[in-house]
Amino acid sequence: AVVSTQSTGSPKRKRERKISRHKSSASTTEHQDKAPASSLKFNEKAKKFCYGNYSKYYGYRNPDKSEQDVRLQFFDSSLFAGKDVLDLGCNIGHITLTIAKEYEPKKIVGVDIDGNLINVARKNIRRYLSKEKSSKFPVSMQLCYGPLFGQGSNDTKFPNNVTFRKENWVPLEEPQNVTEMFDVILCLSVTKWVQLNWGDEGIKNLFRKMYQSIRPGGKLILECQHWKSYARRKKLTSAIYKNYSEIQIMPHEFPQYLMTIGFVDWQTLGTPYHSQKGFRRPIWIFTKPVASPAQEPVLSPENTSSQTSTLVGSSQSSELDVTPCQE
């Protein structure tokens, strides 16, 4: 028999080569993550969605094609009835319009940084008017031209109680004086994009502005993306990559931070079920005291870190599922 001199090696050597390749791959990945932004390739095609302004967001948020968002099941009508409401990051307005039509707020304002989404939201008013009747005009005119009632009317019935506007609501510096007050502010799946685009200072300024914009006794309803989901979007832009590497305040620490700026109570309304674990995000509600503190605490980076760190490992932080999120 002829024995080949080109041996493939013993099983031990095969394992050694496999381990060596694995270490080399891990080293390369680690080097890429620590590489300067100038040497990285960013996703230019996805750059236009750097604010989470996905035009088809509700398509994969509600895969059954239903306009009824599952998060609405945790909202009691008493939260909104007769109230002034702000919906931050309203996208194309499905939640905003459902609340306007079914929960009877005095007014609800939907705000988004993307003007195209706001235009779609305004057009969606027609769809939500499909069952409304007009005594003066045929329904076809409403469907073709939108609401036949001028927005800004004293009538607080739908659709006169809902408006949409394009606006970046994140203050670039610590807010001083706010001019518009609300009883309830909704902020659903927005915080990740604030932190990625404006860093920890952006999220702190946003929280302070929300607190100042809520009337005494009012509510903040907050849904945050899980920290693990941030990594999937860190290479959208060089600014996002830099902000991601510098983030210190984790999403599960937001409740403690909000308590330090004046909110007196927070509870978990519930965690909507979704087939994708990343969308199983708890919905929190925070209450502003009826009598606001005479002087809000001044937060330095040092005492902010010590305050927020107390939440880690607490029984309340365990309510936040930290599984990966699609968006």
Side-chain angles (χ1 to χ4, degrees):
V2 178
V3 179
S4 172
T5 59
Q6 298 180 348
S7 173
T8 57
S10 65
K12 181 179 180 180
R13 289 188 176 180
K14 290 181 178 179
R15 287 195 300 271
E16 290 175 349
R17 287 197 297 270
K18 185 175 181 180
I19 292 172
S20 177
R21 288 195 299 269
H22 175 74
K23 287 183 176 179
S24 176
S25 175
S27 176
T28 301
T29 301
E30 182 179 358
H31 175 74
Q32 290 175 345
D33 286 342
K34 295 182 178 179
S38 59
S39 65
L40 295 172
K41 292 183 178 179
F42 297 100
N43 191 338
E44 291 297 324
K45 185 177 180 180
K47 183 178 179 180
K48 62 181 179 179
F49 301 124
C50 68
Y51 301 113
N53 48 321
Y54 298 104
S55 56
K56 297 181 180 179
Y57 175 74
Y58 283 99
Y60 54 78
R61 179 90 207 202
N62 302 322
D64 60 354
K65 307 302 180 183
S66 171
E67 292 180 358
Q68 186 71 21
D69 195 294
V70 294
R71 291 172 289 185
L72 290 165
Q73 64 184 297
F74 297 98
F75 299 158
D76 189 88
S77 60
S78 62
L79 283 172
F80 307 107
K83 306 290 180 59
D84 294 327
V85 183
L86 174 66
D87 184 11
L88 290 177
C90 65
N91 200 270
I92 58 174
H94 284 317
I95 283 184
T96 318
L97 289 166
T98 300
I99 291 175
K101 186 175 181 179
E102 299 182 8
Y103 292 76
E104 299 183 339
K106 180 180 179 181
K107 76 170 182 181
I108 182 167
V109 180
V111 171
D112 202 281
I113 196 171
D114 189 319
N116 292 326
L117 295 180
I118 289 298
N119 289 336
V120 175
R122 289 169 177 160
K123 292 177 181 178
N124 277 337
I125 296 176
R126 306 174 190 177
R127 300 177 61 184
Y128 283 76
L129 273 170
S130 60
K131 294 184 180 180
E132 298 290 324
K133 295 182 179 180
S134 171
S135 59
K136 297 182 179 179
F137 303 99
V139 174
S140 59
M141 290 190 67
Q142 298 179 11
L143 298 177
C144 293
Y145 302 107
L148 302 178
F149 316 92
Q151 291 196 14
S153 165
N154 292 327
D155 185 6
T156 59
K157 299 292 185 180
F158 181 78
N160 294 315
N161 63 349
V162 58
T163 57
F164 292 100
R165 67 178 185 233
K166 175 185 179 296
E167 181 181 347
N168 178 10
W169 213 77
V170 180
L172 300 182
E173 56 186 26
E174 185 170 353
Q176 300 298 325
N177 298 311
V178 297
T179 57
E180 192 173 19
M181 301 295 291
F182 299 92
D183 301 298
V184 180
I185 292 181
L186 281 163
C187 184
L188 305 179
S189 293
V190 171
T191 52
K192 175 176 78 173
W193 301 107
V194 174
Q195 275 193 297
L196 287 178
N197 283 279
W198 295 282
D200 283 348
E201 285 305 309
I203 198 69
K204 289 190 290 185
N205 288 340
L206 175 66
F207 286 156
R208 292 188 185 114
K209 183 178 179 181
M210 287 195 290
Y211 180 81
Q212 294 177 19
S213 301
I214 295 175
R215 294 189 179 103
K219 307 288 186 181
L220 166 63
I221 301 174
L222 184 67
E223 177 196 42
C224 302
Q225 296 97 325
H226 307 305
W227 169 246
K228 287 186 178 181
S229 73
Y230 284 51
R232 299 190 61 203
R233 299 292 175 248
K234 67 181 180 180
K235 294 183 181 179
L236 284 177
T237 68
S238 59
I240 284 178
Y241 185 81
K242 180 179 182 294
N243 288 331
Y244 172 80
S245 66
E246 297 175 352
I247 288 175
Q248 297 295 319
I249 304 177
M250 298 293 105
H252 70 269
E253 297 173 327
F254 290 165
Q256 185 65 31
Y257 183 84
L258 287 163
M259 298 294 279
T260 67
I261 64 176
F263 289 98
V264 293
D265 180 50
W266 73 278
Q267 300 175 6
T268 301
L269 290 177
T271 303
Y273 177 79
H274 197 280
S275 58
Q276 297 184 31
K277 290 183 178 180
F279 282 124
R280 299 174 194 172
R281 306 166 186 168
I283 299 175
W284 297 323
I285 185 168
F286 300 83
T287 302
K288 184 172 181 175
V290 175
S292 300
Q295 183 177 3
E296 295 180 21
V298 178
L299 300 174
S300 65
E302 290 77 12
N303 61 34
T304 297
S305 176
S306 62
Q307 290 281 358
T308 56
S309 62
T310 59
L311 185 65
V312 180
S314 70
S315 59
Q316 293 188 18
S317 66
S318 64
E319 295 183 13
L320 177 58
D321 179 14
V322 290
T323 49
C325 167
Q326 177 172 347
E327 296 301 340

